[in-house]
Amino acid sequence: MIAIRKSRIICYTICALSMYAHARAEMAMQHIEGRNITSLNGGWDVIIDPTNNGDWRKVWIEPVVQNDHQFFEYSFDGGPVLRVPGDFNSQRCELTYYESTVWYRRRFELRPETGSRYFLYFGAVNYLARVYLNEEEIGVHEGGFTPFQFEITNRVHEGMNTVVVRVNNRRREDGVPAEGYDWLNYGGITRDVYLVVTPETYIEDYFIQLRKDSFNEVDGWIRLNGERKNQRIVLTIPETGQKFSFKTDGDGRARIHFNWDFELWSPENPKRYDLIIESETDMIHDRIGFRTVGVEGFRVLLNGKPVFLKAVNIHEENPFTGSRAATAADNRVLLDWAKELGCNMVRLAHYPHNEAMVRMAEEMGLMVWSEIPVYQHINFKNPKTVKTMNHMLREMITRDKNRCGVIIWSVSNETYASPERDQAHIGMVNICREMDPARLVSAAISNQSYRDNTFEVWDPMVCHLDIISVNEYIGWYVPWQGHPSDINWVMVCDKPLFISEFGGEAHYGSNHGPKHRAASWSEEYLAQIYRDQMMMFDATPNLCGISPWLLVDYRSTARLHPVYQSGWNRKGLLSDQGEKKKAWFIVQDYFRRADK
Ligand code: GCB
């Protein structure tokens, strides 16, 4: 009898558990640095859990020994401590290539006040995050490069509170990116964590940019979150002495619409304005620039004038430390190099980089190409994967839509054509246009053929995009089929052409074997690829810009040559120590010429 009852209880429990869905994280509020925040960065206690034992041991529950016979086979106390923000791979040698679970714990003290709301904000956690507060699960987030938050107003208590995060960076067949990619899979709480305090009704989000094709008409919106939906909003631009007033509707939304002759943002004059948005219950400061971007024939126009996109590809990695770029100093190293090269744009590959990087690029006069990690081996047949990529795209646009520096949203890199792929892409392009009609949309494509010196771009997807972005490795993965100046381009539709990737590998200072062989890994071989490419660019009529792959050598588990690569992709114009390869100077010269 007792046995029957027990099995029933077990059955009910299992059934209840299988019905239990994890709560999904909320989309993060706009401009986190402008909020009332307390940093939870610093040392977090961790449990390294390669085989996920922490799940059934319930390590989020603080173990308390009750009697002489009891013990627990886990503890955060006395274990390793990892730095947040930061990837775990570069912090302990046993984690160098680790792709599994690490549990993080951090405590914070609080005296909650009535009338305030509390949020836990994560800049990014790669890849899956499950978050617990005070021994209860509060929700999950999927995706390694976008921010998310949880409201914890009703869960925090006076005194000490404990956050535990289960971080898992295992590659997933249904993930975005999927299982195969050419960069190091840095796991961990890689970006800032904040405790955020807001008023009961707070300014959740806003979009303040110029209307498409306009030089002076701001068209956007502001959204409140909270009980007091109907409020007066005042937008002040102290520098111009302007004040604009709006009213939110029953959904807490106000349309922002006004005209003003702003000094427009451009690489030569990266002008931004201090802006104060004030509701009756909240206030936030931001720095926003205004510019317009569009396409006319084969040209990209910035503020109505043709601009040649002098870009470089960048991974979010500090080569000196071999770790995910996580600090302002890391961002500065990369962007200073891009400026020195002569760039007016950076392609932040292959995922949204940290928000401070995008802001810094804008401040330095660098236009930004921003991308989600819909990369090569993505499984478009799986509706769950498509849902994940759409959500990531929304998170990216939500975060950076007020950054005038961002001129292109890229929805993917080198995906393989199929009906499901096409459908998913059209869906993503529509999301971009709905959320943000004032920017260009593209995707780096590689569905093309190169025969008899004719380069044919046949991927029908490009016709849905504003510019055609092609990754081509002529001279490296594909040998030249004729003289570079005699190249013949065949395009599936007429649009400006951006070469989003090209290049080859060289080991800095390498001088082994004959220079005409790729297997020499020599700088001279790479320099020749660049000379040939430049010749080809000069003969490409609809070219609107180029972006070499890439700024600096970077870590990748896909690069196995023990002498020349040793776990590094060597396509950098700079070595991992920042030394300039010969190809660097060829690009620098080309960018100088492009200005004339
Ligand atoms: C590509 C990819 C980039 C790779 C690069 C390479 O086409 O877009 O992520 O790392 O080639 O080095 O082969």
Side-chain angles (χ1 to χ4, degrees):
M1 191 64 174
I2 292 171
I4 292 167
R5 277 207 194 126
K6 255 194 186 163
S7 67
R8 273 202 192 139
I9 291 168
I10 290 168
C11 170
Y12 292 148
T13 317
I14 290 170
C15 297
L17 276 176
S18 61
M19 280 160 58
Y20 165 75
H22 301 282
R24 205 158 91 165
E26 293 168 29
M27 193 78 77
M29 61 185 82
Q30 185 63 208
H31 185 22
I32 195 65
E33 296 280 337
R35 308 284 174 166
N36 176 2
I37 49 177
T38 305
S39 170
L40 298 182
N41 292 340
W44 287 54
D45 303 309
V46 302
I47 295 173
I48 299 167
D49 182 13
T51 50
N52 299 318
N53 282 278
D55 290 328
W56 64 267
R57 290 193 192 278
K58 299 192 167 54
V59 301
W60 56 92
I61 293 173
E62 187 93 22
V64 183
V65 171
Q66 306 280 7
N67 57 50
D68 289 350
H69 308 289
Q70 201 179 24
F71 60 89
F72 294 91
E73 296 194 56
Y74 69 90
S75 172
F76 282 101
D77 297 326
V81 173
L82 290 177
R83 200 178 54 252
V84 169
D87 64 86
F88 51 61
N89 308 80
S90 64
Q91 295 191 49
R92 295 182 67 86
C93 52
E94 74 270 30
L95 298 179
T96 303
Y97 296 114
Y98 189 77
E99 298 197 350
S100 191
T101 299
V102 173
W103 297 85
Y104 284 72
R105 182 192 68 179
R106 172 78 148 83
R107 298 190 202 279
F108 63 92
E109 205 153 355
L110 190 72
R111 183 174 298 165
E113 285 172 8
T114 43
S116 289
R117 292 169 70 180
Y118 297 86
F119 296 84
L120 256 185
Y121 168 96
F122 294 84
V125 174
N126 190 33
Y127 173 80
L128 276 181
R130 198 192 300 152
V131 182
Y132 299 82
L133 183 70
N134 299 329
E135 305 190 337
E136 273 179 33
E137 181 181 324
I138 57 174
V140 295
H141 181 264
E142 175 168 359
F145 304 98
T146 40
F148 57 95
Q149 67 183 34
F150 299 100
E151 174 152 19
I152 52 170
T153 311
N154 298 325
R155 296 175 185 266
V156 276
H157 49 235
E158 174 140 12
M160 204 55 94
N161 291 267
T162 304
V163 189
V164 170
V165 187
R166 178 191 192 273
V167 181
N168 182 288
N169 69 331
R170 188 172 59 78
R171 290 162 201 251
R172 302 171 63 93
E173 196 271 334
D174 66 358
V176 182
E179 288 172 319
Y181 45 91
D182 184 22
W183 65 85
L184 202 118
N185 179 16
Y186 290 114
I189 304 181
T190 52
R191 295 188 188 153
D192 300 311
V193 185
Y194 295 121
L195 173 70
V196 192
V197 189
T198 72
E200 205 292 300
T201 299
Y202 72 101
I203 300 168
E204 180 179 44
D205 199 2
Y206 48 88
F207 182 39
I208 302 174
Q209 291 280 277
L210 289 180
R211 193 175 60 75
K212 189 170 168 50
D213 299 329
S214 169
F215 297 125
N216 62 357
E217 187 184 338
V218 172
D219 195 9
W221 48 264
I222 288 176
R223 193 176 64 231
L224 303 176
N225 180 316
E227 293 293 315
R228 285 194 51 195
K229 302 266 192 257
N230 291 101
Q231 296 198 29
R232 199 167 89 96
I233 306 282
V234 178
L235 194 132
T236 311
I237 309 174
E239 190 180 328
T240 66
Q242 293 290 113
K243 262 188 200 297
F244 302 95
S245 184
F246 309 93
K247 277 220 171 310
T248 49
D249 61 18
D251 294 327
R253 263 180 87 103
R255 180 168 177 226
I256 302 297
H257 190 245
F258 62 91
N259 284 58
W260 185 253
D261 280 325
F262 290 105
E263 212 178 295
L264 298 177
W265 180 96
S266 70
E268 299 74 39
N269 179 27
K271 171 75 187 165
R272 296 176 306 159
Y273 291 83
D274 281 331
L275 233 100
I276 305 163
I277 306 167
E278 225 171 326
S279 71
E280 289 161 32
T281 52
D282 196 10
M283 175 159 81
I284 187 160
H285 289 238
D286 205 341
R287 259 177 104 64
I288 292 187
F290 300 92
R291 57 92 194 95
T292 167
V293 61
V295 158
E296 192 180 78
F298 292 136
R299 301 278 160 255
V300 171
L301 305 182
L302 185 72
N303 301 327
K305 292 188 210 104
V307 61
F308 189 76
L309 307 175
K310 298 180 288 177
V312 71
N313 283 287
I314 301 183
H315 261 299
E316 192 189 39
E317 180 178 275
N318 181 337
F320 299 120
T321 49
S323 60
R324 206 19 103 237
T327 63
D330 293 337
N331 296 339
R332 177 67 66 186
V333 167
L334 298 166
L335 295 177
D336 275 349
W337 277 329
K339 285 297 272 190
E340 192 184 343
L341 187 62
C343 294
N344 60 11
M345 177 167 141
V346 283
R347 175 174 178 228
L348 301 182
H350 280 301
Y351 37 77
H353 288 211
N354 65 80
E355 185 173 351
M357 176 80 164
V358 179
R359 284 180 179 263
M360 192 182 277
E362 178 178 285
E363 183 190 319
M364 291 169 74
L366 289 162
M367 294 178 276
V368 172
W369 160 304
S370 196
E371 178 164 304
I372 49 170
V374 176
Y375 183 93
Q376 293 180 355
H377 304 280
I378 288 283
N379 180 1
F380 291 101
K381 289 204 170 108
N382 184 338
K384 183 248 157 192
T385 307
V386 174
K387 217 168 139 191
T388 305
M389 66 183 75
N390 287 343
H391 190 66
M392 262 180 209
L393 182 61
R394 289 198 174 93
E395 287 175 322
M396 174 176 78
I397 298 176
T398 297
R399 194 192 72 178
D400 290 339
K401 62 187 176 300
N402 290 306
R403 302 283 68 75
C404 66
V406 177
I407 62 156
I408 297 171
W409 301 125
S410 165
V411 297
S412 71
N413 180 78
E414 297 186 355
T415 54
Y416 313 132
S418 72
E420 292 81 6
R421 193 282 313 238
D422 292 356
Q423 206 190 342
H425 271 69
I426 292 168
M428 288 191 287
V429 171
N430 289 341
I431 290 175
C432 293
R433 302 218 191 275
E434 269 159 34
M435 288 184 73
D436 178 8
R439 277 186 181 81
L440 306 181
V441 182
S442 199
I445 61 118
S446 59
N447 294 310
Q448 56 223 11
S449 60
Y450 175 54
R451 267 179 237 110
D452 302 329
N453 220 15
T454 294
F455 199 104
E456 185 183 352
V457 177
W458 53 261
D459 190 335
M461 193 41 53
V462 300
C463 303
H464 296 270
L465 306 170
D466 293 310
I467 63 171
I468 301 180
S469 303
V470 167
N471 293 355
E472 52 85 7
Y473 284 87
I474 313 180
W476 183 249
Y477 292 128
V478 193
W480 286 97
Q481 308 281 309
H483 195 276
S485 312
D486 299 333
I487 186 105
N488 178 31
W489 290 92
V490 179
M491 296 290 182
V492 59
C493 49
D494 286 341
K495 306 251 167 160
L497 170 66
F498 179 63
I499 304 294
S500 35
E501 287 181 26
F502 67 99
E505 296 208 24
H507 191 261
Y508 174 75
S510 189
N511 200 13
H512 309 266
K515 305 263 185 302
H516 63 279
R517 298 186 75 108
S520 69
W521 303 86
S522 70
E523 282 201 51
E524 190 44 51
Y525 191 90
L526 181 62
Q528 193 53 47
I529 294 178
Y530 272 83
R531 282 187 212 107
D532 292 341
Q533 287 275 346
M534 302 308 168
M535 260 193 269
M536 178 180 80
F537 298 150
D538 286 342
T540 304
N542 51 349
L543 194 69
C544 71
I546 63 160
S547 188
W549 185 262
L550 79 171
L551 182 67
V552 55
D553 290 354
Y554 67 99
R555 295 177 68 192
S556 165
T557 42
R559 305 295 167 173
L560 307 177
H561 196 288
V563 179
Y564 302 109
Q565 296 180 306
S566 31
W568 289 76
N569 182 316
R570 297 287 182 200
K571 295 194 186 69
L573 296 169
L574 298 164
S575 76
D576 58 87
Q577 292 306 304
E579 294 134 325
K580 296 182 172 103
K581 300 183 193 171
K582 289 182 177 167
W584 163 281
F585 298 99
I586 297 169
V587 176
Q588 207 176 33
D589 266 9
Y590 178 82
F591 283 164
R592 278 190 195 127
R593 268 201 296 130
D595 280 338
K596 288 179 190 141

